[in-house]
């Protein structure tokens, strides 16, 4: 029976990790951008939304000329209410001639000014979701050029190199093109620059930047690195910058756990068992019939969301035992998380229901299990398939007709939707990566079969809209501001009031 209980496990409050070198670079960024022609922003393909550092771009500006403007981090009253906050990247684009009201229109084009978003580590996400995601992002963020890449794929590095070379050739009057690489910690900035240098410079090239699997290896702006001889292109590597505060409530807790899972937060700030619990939940959501972790467990084991039961099986399978044969759950949790970072992510990306044999109809139908303490099925919790293939698991590498026919075959095979105890149809859940998850009903079957890519794109656009609404809500409610910052703001406001009374008297 396919697992149907997908309740999100309890998550710890997110820690604050914003060391001094990150704060220093954030303050340097507006000055650095004055001599930058191309911003290469790296994000993690597994977290295409969570790995956005929104403090660099800030919130959209609608009434730019009618509002008092505060450049982020330029003044101490960064979180003052009633002000329009413009990120350093947005200000840089406007200074280079881009229209503040239409991000796709450029009024003055004298100097190069390009913002390229590179979703690195593309080999760690399923290929079937890349094209729908790219179209969804282009619709929501038309001013950003989006590119999936992996340093393991020479074709991707060659494509990125050609993009930079073409930008330089469009501005022949410029003696050189300067590229600034930014992004969150451990998204692969230094590794990608080493690969770009190897691609752009003929002959053997030494490794220019040190790399590490742990975040925070680069703590200062690098010297200029030549990545192309003709035309002349230089690049700067920069420290990874984390959000100063990850947020409050469920959203902040989940954001922190996601970043910790990709090793974007300093090791030791999170308990490994908490990370293992969330990872178990997400892998089960992505593939509820045969999750990728099953081959780690003893033969005959089934999918589960019970962390203690899972870690016990894993510890017994791997021989991680304490005295008297007791399972070492802590070691098992560490092993599970590190396995996913080093190997499991690749297996999860390659794993697809489409390549599995269809399960028997009676064994593949799941009944929605109630979430603990509710007695009712959770809205996002329920998947049951009568086919071994995941709906929506089309392969972008194949032709459109082949992908659509495969997709249609899978949806036709899953015609029997799961029902709850009252006989009502329960929504099924699908996901791509760790940031995208959506429900669908049996009524959506026809649309999913006829045009799967468009269906996926629409669902991803809805997820992006929900993300933007969440960011706007957090901005409005100051949920992205730490309690310490709020106290500092109140102290500064009180000092300002006292100073005003003193001046009047």
């Amino acid at each position: 029976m396919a697992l149907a209980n997908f309740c999100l496990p309890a998550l710890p409050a997110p820690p604050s990790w914003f060391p001094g070198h990150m704060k220093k670079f954030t303050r340097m960024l507006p000055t650095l951008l004055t001599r930058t022609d191309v911003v290469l922003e790296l994000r993690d393909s597994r977290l295409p939304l969570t790995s956005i550092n929104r403090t660099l771009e800030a919130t959209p500006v609608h009434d730019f000329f009618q509002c008092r403007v505060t450049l982020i981090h330029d003044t101490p009253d960064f979180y003052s209410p009633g002000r329009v906050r413009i990120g350093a990247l947005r200000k840089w684009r406007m200074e280079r001639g881009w229209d503040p009201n239409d991000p796709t229109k450029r009024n003055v084009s004298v100097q190069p000014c390009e913002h390229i978003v590179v979703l690195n580590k593309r080999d760690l996400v399923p290929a079937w979701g890349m094209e729908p995601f790219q179209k969804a992002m282009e619709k929501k963020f038309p001013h950003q050029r989006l590119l999936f890449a992996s340093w393991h794929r020479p074709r991707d590095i060659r494509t990125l190199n050609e993009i930079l070379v073409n930008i330089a050739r469009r501005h022949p009057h410029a003696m050189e093109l300067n590229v600034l690489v930014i992004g969150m910690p451990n998204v692969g900035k230094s590794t990608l620059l080493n690969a770009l240098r190897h691609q752009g410079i003929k002959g053997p090239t030494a490794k220019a930047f040190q790399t590490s699997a742990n975040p925070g290896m680069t703590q200062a702006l690098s010297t200029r690195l030549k990545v192309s001889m003709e035309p002349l292109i230089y690049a700067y590597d920069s420290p990874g910058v984390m959000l100063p505060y990850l947020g409050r409530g469920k959203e902040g807790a989940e954001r922190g756990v996601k970043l910790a899972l990709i090793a974007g937060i300093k090791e030791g700030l999170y308990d490994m068992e908490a990370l293992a619990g969330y990872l178990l939940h997400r892998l089960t959501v992505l593939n509820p019939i045969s999750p990728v972790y099953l081959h780690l467990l003893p033969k005959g084991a089934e999918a589960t969301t019970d962390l203690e039961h899972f870690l016990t099986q894993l510890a017994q399978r791997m021989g991680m035992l304490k005295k008297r044969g007791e399972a070492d759950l802590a070691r098992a949790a560490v092993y599970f998380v590190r396995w996913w970072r080093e190997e499991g992510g690749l297996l999860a990306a390659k794993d697809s229901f489409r390549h599995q044999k269809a399960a028997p109809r009676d064994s593949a139908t799941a009944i929605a299990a109630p979430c603990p303490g509710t007695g009712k099925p959770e809205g996002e919790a329920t998947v049951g398939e009568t086919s071994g293939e995941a709906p929506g698991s089309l392969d972008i590498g194949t032709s459109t007709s082949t992908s659509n026919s495969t997709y249609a075959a899978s949806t036709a095979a899953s015609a029997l939707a799961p029902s709850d105890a009252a006989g009502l149809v329960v929504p099924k859940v699908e996901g791509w990566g760790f940031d995208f998850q959506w429900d669908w009903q049996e009524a959506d079957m026809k649309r999913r079969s006829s045009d799967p890519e468009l269906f996926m794109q629409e669902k991803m656009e809805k997820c992006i809209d929900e993300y933007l609404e969440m960011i706007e809500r957090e901005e409005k409610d100051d949920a992205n501001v730490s309690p310490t910052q709020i106290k500092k703001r109140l102290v500064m406001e009180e000092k300002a009031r006292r100073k005003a009374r003193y001046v009047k008297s």
Side-chain angles (χ1 to χ4, degrees), residues 70-349:
T70 298
L71 175 64
I72 283 187
H73 303 293
D74 274 2
T75 58
D77 53 350
F78 165 42
Y79 296 109
S80 297
R83 294 196 174 194
V84 177
R85 293 188 283 275
I86 302 181
L89 292 180
R90 188 178 296 274
K91 182 174 183 291
W92 168 68
R93 284 174 53 83
M94 290 190 293
E95 289 176 345
R96 294 288 180 99
W98 288 95
D99 193 325
N101 299 314
D102 184 359
T104 63
K105 181 181 177 182
R106 191 171 185 184
N107 300 322
V108 180
S109 180
V110 178
Q111 294 176 278
C113 179
E114 297 285 344
H115 181 192
I116 303 174
V117 176
V118 179
L119 288 158
N120 201 17
K121 306 179 183 180
R122 63 172 293 174
D123 49 332
L124 299 180
V125 293
W128 53 262
M130 291 182 184
E131 188 171 334
F133 170 76
Q134 197 159 1
K135 290 179 179 178
M137 288 293 286
E138 287 173 357
K139 189 173 180 179
K140 299 296 181 182
F141 303 96
H143 64 287
Q144 295 179 356
R145 183 180 298 188
L146 199 68
L147 175 70
F148 280 94
S150 172
W151 70 273
H152 295 290
R153 293 166 56 97
R155 184 193 308 171
D156 296 339
I157 305 302
R158 195 159 50 243
T159 300
L160 181 57
N161 180 71
E162 290 173 357
I163 290 174
L164 296 177
V165 168
N166 290 336
I167 293 173
R169 287 177 176 166
R170 287 202 304 268
H171 299 82
H173 61 279
M175 297 181 62
E176 60 192 28
L177 188 76
N178 290 303
V179 180
L180 178 64
V181 182
I182 62 174
M184 282 196 171
N186 213 28
V187 293
K189 298 183 294 296
S190 302
T191 304
L192 191 69
L193 275 179
N194 287 331
L196 265 179
R197 174 178 169 83
H198 180 73
Q199 178 67 39
I201 305 295
K202 294 183 179 180
T205 54
K207 186 177 180 180
F209 298 124
Q210 290 185 340
T211 58
S212 172
N214 298 318
M217 181 70 184
T218 304
Q219 296 192 359
L221 186 72
S222 72
T223 55
R224 293 203 308 174
L225 175 70
K226 187 182 294 184
V227 295
S228 175
M229 295 289 294
E230 182 60 38
L232 198 57
I233 302 177
Y234 291 95
Y236 294 89
D237 191 16
S238 67
V241 178
M242 180 57 63
L243 292 171
Y245 184 65
L246 293 173
R248 304 193 193 104
K250 175 185 173 182
E251 291 84 2
E254 190 170 3
R255 186 180 296 128
V257 170
K258 287 178 180 179
L259 292 170
L261 274 175
I262 65 169
I265 294 180
K266 183 179 178 182
E267 193 85 11
L269 293 180
Y270 270 96
D271 177 49
M272 280 294 186
E273 291 193 31
L275 298 185
Y278 183 79
L279 178 59
L280 181 67
H281 164 79
R282 292 304 309 180
L283 292 179
T284 307
V285 167
L286 292 175
N287 189 340
I289 296 176
S290 180
V292 68
Y293 57 74
L294 280 186
H295 78 277
L296 295 176
L297 304 180
K299 188 176 181 180
E302 296 182 351
T304 179
T305 53
D306 186 338
L307 180 62
E308 183 176 357
H309 177 63
F310 169 78
L311 292 180
T312 300
Q313 291 187 346
L314 179 60
Q316 293 172 349
R317 170 72 171 77
M318 298 298 172
M320 299 175 181
L321 304 176
K322 298 179 181 179
K323 293 181 178 179
R324 300 179 182 178
E326 182 182 354
D328 193 338
L329 303 187
R331 281 182 63 196
V334 172
Y335 176 84
F336 181 45
V337 172
R338 291 183 177 172
W339 163 83
W340 182 78
R341 289 173 179 172
E342 298 169 4
E343 177 187 356
L346 285 169
L347 296 176

